[in-house]
Amino acid sequence: MIYLDYAATTPISKSAINVWIKTNEDYFANSSSLHEAGSHANQLIQTCKEQLASLVGVRQEHVFFTSGGTEANQLALRSLYKAHKHKGNHVITSEIEHPSVHAFFQELKEDGVDVSYVPVNAQGLIEVEDVKRLTRSDTCLASIQHVNSEIGVIQPIALLGKWFRMHGIPFHSDCVQSFGKIPLDLYSFHTDAISVASHKIHGPKGMGAVFFSKDCNWVSTVPLTTHQSGFRPGTLNTPGIVAFTQAAIDSQQSITENLQHSWQLRDLFLNKLAPLGERLVIEGATNKQQQLPSIIGLAIHGVQGQYMLLSLDRYHICISTGSACQSQKQDASPVMRAIYATEQERLRFFRISFGRMTRESDLIYTAEKIIEIANDYQ
């Protein structure tokens, strides 16, 4: 099998598996229990929080664990909104956010909150001037993703964060696709909170986290919650936390090397697709500083993306037609609606996403099959 759907999920690494097994054997106690075994489990969790906090420039007491990226987004946004809703009845997000973020803002909209959706340009990028234009005196929350999961564009989070900070507007960013792949720093980003997920960086599924800045004001959304300072109820998943931390450390240590490798793989793959000529459309940013290389959004004139996915699957090549969170729905994702004018264009889209385990030979073979399928489909 050739797996090219890393933006959906990644295989768990051996180092993460090993520490997960070890933690299950030696630190299985409830970390909230007062006996010695519980205390040891809690100490291990505190060590993990300290290590994770150091990766993004926050303090360990501002790290909170969740069941994944979706819950991280929702809890972060609900906690921030509850703390700041008295400031106004207007919020800002973008047209191309993850479904979990769109769901939260849709709920606010149905409750009478005024929601502004920032548009994107043809490359899927947000213009800072559009954000400035939409900002109002009664704006009480903003959320803009860092890296898009379908076309890999990197939004200007630092510039946006500086603008929101100047106006006293709490700012959240979905960093699920960027964490462990490009450097993150809450201080330089001027963000109040970011959300991340374990399974995107070779950690276990079912683990995520929210990082708050030191001056961020948030409020518990679940009454009588005592776990994690009231952020999220429930016994902490100690083995999952430790395995997640191991995966995050591994990713951070090789972040520069992995980025360089990803650019080499991207250039190789796109060069191999060159025979398609003008039929091939490459989505995303043209400036390397605004593009995550490991996510490639593609379209081929005359070929539906779903047909390409199914055809490649016959050769045991795994790709995607977009976000896995949208895969069971027939309507186009917010990203497709934002960058494509017609339904025909949206249907052409498919995504290649790779990781540190991807080999050059995998991409060469995949490119050959894509060309073969495209030519046969004419």
Side-chain angles (χ1 to χ4, degrees):
M1 180 184 74
I2 296 177
Y3 184 75
L4 297 174
D5 199 17
Y6 278 76
T9 196
T10 61
I12 187 170
S13 67
K14 289 184 179 180
S15 60
I17 290 174
N18 289 337
V19 298
W20 187 87
I21 293 173
K22 180 68 173 175
T23 305
N24 268 297
E25 292 174 344
D26 298 341
Y27 296 90
F28 58 85
N30 189 322
S31 60
S32 295
S33 297
L34 299 180
H35 47 61
E36 184 178 15
S39 177
H40 288 165
N42 182 59
Q43 289 173 6
L44 182 58
I45 288 174
Q46 297 310 311
T47 298
C48 289
K49 290 178 67 174
E50 182 178 356
Q51 292 172 324
L52 286 169
S54 68
L55 300 181
V56 297
V58 301
R59 298 174 181 173
Q60 73 172 73
E61 60 265 31
H62 299 142
V63 179
F64 299 93
F65 296 107
T66 69
S67 65
T70 288
E71 189 186 40
N73 281 333
Q74 296 244 330
L75 280 179
L77 289 168
R78 292 184 190 282
S79 299
L80 288 172
Y81 177 72
K82 188 175 181 180
H84 297 273
K85 63 180 181 179
H86 64 280
K87 297 180 179 179
N89 197 51
H90 177 244
V91 294
I92 295 174
T93 190
S94 83
E95 291 182 345
I96 63 170
E97 296 297 314
H98 186 268
S100 61
V101 174
H102 273 303
F104 169 77
F105 283 102
Q106 179 62 31
E107 185 177 330
L108 291 188
K109 189 174 182 180
E110 291 173 358
D111 288 340
V113 178
D114 194 359
V115 182
S116 290
Y117 295 92
V118 186
V120 295
N121 61 24
Q123 296 181 51
L125 291 165
I126 286 171
E127 303 286 353
V128 177
E129 291 304 315
D130 285 333
V131 174
K132 292 181 178 180
R133 175 177 53 81
L134 292 171
T135 302
R136 302 183 341 199
S137 60
D138 63 338
T139 304
C140 65
L141 177 64
S143 181
I144 305 292
Q145 66 182 197
H146 190 199
V147 171
N148 182 262
S149 64
E150 292 176 74
I151 57 177
V153 292
I154 304 172
Q155 303 296 351
I157 294 301
L159 293 176
L160 296 174
K162 187 175 182 179
W163 170 259
F164 290 128
R165 182 64 55 86
M166 285 173 53
H167 291 79
I169 300 168
F171 178 40
H172 164 266
S173 183
D174 173 1
C175 293
V176 167
Q177 288 292 344
S178 57
F179 181 63
K181 301 170 188 175
I182 52 180
L184 303 183
D185 179 72
L186 263 73
Y187 179 78
S188 63
F189 282 3
H190 308 287
T191 47
D192 294 285
I194 66 170
S195 306
V196 303
S198 165
H199 73 107
K200 304 292 187 179
I201 55 167
H202 302 278
K205 294 175 178 62
M207 281 304 310
V210 173
F211 299 94
F212 286 111
S213 65
K214 65 178 182 178
D215 299 322
C216 178
N217 182 27
W218 62 272
V219 174
S220 175
T221 61
V222 184
L224 305 179
T225 297
T226 57
H227 287 82
Q228 299 198 78
S229 302
F231 182 72
R232 179 181 185 266
T235 301
L236 287 173
N237 176 3
T238 306
I241 289 170
V242 177
F244 172 27
T245 303
Q246 183 64 54
I249 292 172
D250 291 344
S251 296
Q252 186 69 25
Q253 289 177 341
S254 58
I255 200 166
T256 301
E257 177 186 344
N258 288 339
L259 261 178
Q260 292 174 345
H261 180 59
S262 292
W263 277 114
Q264 291 171 356
L265 290 178
R266 182 186 182 92
D267 291 342
L268 169 70
F269 181 65
L270 293 179
N271 284 335
K272 293 297 179 180
L273 291 178
L276 289 172
E278 295 182 357
R279 292 183 67 197
L280 179 68
V281 178
I282 304 166
E283 301 298 348
T286 55
N287 183 337
K288 280 192 172 185
Q289 301 303 314
Q290 298 172 306
Q291 180 68 44
L292 187 71
S294 56
I295 297 178
I296 308 177
L298 299 170
I300 299 174
H301 287 283
V303 184
Q304 287 195 4
Q306 188 72 10
Y307 178 82
M308 181 61 70
L309 182 153
L310 295 174
S311 297
L312 288 174
D313 196 45
R314 294 204 306 267
Y315 297 104
H316 308 291
I317 301 171
C318 303
I319 68 163
S320 172
T321 53
S323 171
C325 301
Q326 293 280 129
S327 62
Q328 301 303 315
K329 299 178 67 176
Q330 296 302 311
D331 56 327
S333 72
V335 182
M336 296 302 100
R337 292 195 298 269
I339 66 175
Y340 291 130
T342 68
E343 183 65 17
Q344 184 181 38
E345 291 175 309
R346 295 166 192 155
L347 290 173
R348 293 176 189 151
F349 180 84
F350 63 97
R351 181 186 70 188
I352 303 290
S353 54
F354 47 80
R356 61 181 184 236
M357 299 178 185
T358 305
R359 302 170 300 183
E360 289 188 359
S361 58
D362 295 337
L363 291 175
I364 292 172
Y365 179 73
T366 300
E368 291 172 350
K369 291 304 174 185
I370 287 175
I371 293 172
E372 179 182 315
I373 293 164
N375 288 338
D376 288 344
Y377 194 76
Q378 281 184 310

